[in-house]
Amino acid sequence: LGVYHGGLAFAPSMVEQAEPSVIVNTGSKQGITMPPGDTAYNVSKAGVKVLTEALQHQLRSTDGCRVNAFLLVPGCVNTMNRTRGDKWVEGAAFKPDRAKDEREYNGVVDRAYAAEKWRERGAWQPDQVIDELFGAIAAGTPFYVICADGETTRAMDDGRMQWAMDDLVFRRAPLSRWSEEYK
């Protein structure tokens, strides 16, 4: 709901100021490819995608509008979100020695160590995502800013997204990429 309410709260005044500006919402590759196992997250990120697409369409259809919207689609990124989420879900059962974020990894509180462990898993650092976003905006990149990461190539991302859409086009069972029938 934050994406929806944020758009309602800020977009009209941004349009009225008649200055070049951007709205960036953070989606996820999972909101496009829908891998099984984390349905709530997939649904929330699919919603961010749809709302941001609608916002971008509305902005570009508004005469004289100098506001653009982008959907930032990062891959695996080393952030505190995972550890904070685990703490919230697990409560008193949370084990700090399992923390994995940009400040610590498996109980070792050392940013450099954590960054290296995340890199080994293919994760980008947050500043890499920001650099990719600002570079895309400066280059006038289309709406979707799809970030690579250390575990997935651009071709792999494109193939996964195409497969998800092909389930619709070819009337296959949903999520067929994870079905034994299609492996």
Side-chain angles (χ1 to χ4, degrees):
L1 289 174
V3 171
Y4 175 73
H5 290 293
L8 289 176
F10 296 106
S13 60
M14 292 174 75
V15 171
E16 287 176 18
Q17 74 182 2
E19 295 290 329
S21 52
V22 297
I23 297 170
V24 178
N25 290 323
T26 303
S28 171
K29 292 175 187 177
Q30 285 186 225
I32 301 169
T33 61
M34 304 296 170
D38 199 352
T39 303
Y41 181 80
N42 296 351
V43 168
S44 71
K45 291 304 183 175
V48 169
K49 174 185 170 287
V50 171
L51 283 168
T52 310
E53 289 169 339
L55 174 63
Q56 206 273 351
H57 181 267
Q58 182 178 1
L59 293 170
R60 75 174 184 262
S61 300
T62 302
D63 287 337
C65 181
R66 300 183 72 194
V67 182
N68 198 357
F70 292 88
L71 181 68
L72 176 63
V73 185
C76 182
V77 181
N78 166 17
T79 68
M80 290 175 44
N81 292 348
R82 180 63 182 262
T83 295
R84 284 185 177 166
D86 288 346
K87 285 180 183 178
W88 184 77
V89 169
E90 296 173 19
F94 176 75
K95 295 182 172 79
D97 63 333
R98 291 184 341 169
K100 293 179 176 71
D101 59 40
E102 76 275 11
R103 296 180 292 184
E104 65 182 291
Y105 196 95
N106 286 349
V108 177
V109 182
D110 180 309
R111 284 184 182 272
Y113 176 81
E116 182 56 33
K117 288 297 184 184
W118 278 104
R119 263 191 293 281
E120 288 172 9
R121 293 178 61 186
W124 269 20
Q125 297 302 304
D127 59 323
Q128 290 176 282
V129 175
I130 297 304
D131 290 346
E132 184 81 8
L133 171 63
F134 286 168
I137 291 170
T141 298
F143 171 79
Y144 302 98
V145 181
I146 300 174
C147 300
D149 57 37
E151 66 179 2
T152 309
T153 66
R154 168 77 187 260
M156 289 170 72
D157 282 338
D158 289 351
R160 290 172 177 176
M161 289 183 280
Q162 183 67 55
W163 191 293
M165 294 314 302
D166 283 352
D167 281 349
L168 290 166
V169 172
F170 297 114
R171 309 298 194 266
R172 294 189 300 230
L175 307 177
S176 68
R177 188 170 70 117
W178 290 276
S179 173
E180 289 299 321
E181 179 181 348
Y182 293 97
K183 288 187 178 186

